[in-house]
Amino acid sequence: MEWILPAILAAVLVFFITKRFITPKYLTPLSQEDFIKGYRKAQLIDVREQREYEGGHILGARNIPLTQLRTRMKEIRTDQPVYLYCQSGARSKQAATVLKKKRGCEELYHLKGGFKKWSGRINKKK
């Protein structure tokens, strides 16, 4: 009987770890090349914090940090594709889950590897 609680805790831990790293079926990961092909015809959302965004962001991106997404999600249209990115890809996956479940967005894409892998043009706040 003493093994039940540790087994449950281990199962919960494994569930949350795998959930963080597995891309949901409704989110399409894109290489930088594919991301560039489509983001100009979509809503481009940087879900990093404002200080990260100001340090450099993809041209044309709007900054809606993941920490503010639930209160600002009405700024995102549901009838247009949504291209998301963050520093590494983890927060953009979380943002996609929120937008799918709470806002009903259908066309969700994210930059594979995140902004740290981006080699395209960027804009920096001066």
Side-chain angles (χ1 to χ4, degrees):
M1 278 304 207
E2 16 184 279
W3 60 269
I4 292 176
L5 184 58
I8 291 171
L9 291 174
V12 169
L13 182 63
V14 167
F15 171 77
F16 282 112
I17 289 172
T18 56
K19 185 177 180 187
R20 180 176 174 106
F21 293 106
I22 293 176
T23 302
K25 290 180 180 170
Y26 51 82
L27 176 63
T28 305
L30 298 174
S31 66
Q32 178 175 311
E33 184 178 285
D34 290 334
F35 198 83
I36 289 170
K37 287 178 187 173
Y39 83 81
R40 287 186 182 91
K41 296 177 234 142
Q43 302 168 89
L44 179 58
I45 311 294
D46 183 328
V47 298
R48 298 175 301 157
E49 292 301 317
Q50 184 176 352
R51 64 179 162 60
E52 294 173 283
Y53 176 83
E54 290 173 355
H57 58 272
I58 298 172
L59 293 172
R62 274 190 297 157
N63 184 223
I64 303 178
L66 179 61
T67 55
Q68 298 174 15
L69 187 61
R70 289 183 188 271
T71 58
R72 296 180 58 192
M73 73 173 66
K74 289 187 176 162
E75 296 175 34
I76 299 172
R77 296 178 55 164
T78 57
D79 63 338
Q80 292 181 343
V82 180
Y83 278 54
L84 301 162
Y85 73 92
C86 62
Q87 194 64 25
S88 66
R91 285 178 282 180
S92 57
K93 287 179 188 177
Q94 290 176 294
T97 299
V98 170
L99 291 172
K100 173 70 174 171
K101 292 181 179 176
K102 303 287 185 192
R103 185 78 176 130
C105 294
E106 294 295 327
E107 293 184 76
L108 296 165
Y109 304 87
H110 90 119
L111 179 60
K112 201 183 313 181
F115 187 73
K116 70 180 180 183
K117 301 272 185 178
W118 183 258
S119 62
R121 292 178 56 199
I122 64 168
N123 190 12
K124 285 187 178 184
K125 293 271 184 185
K126 295 183 173 131

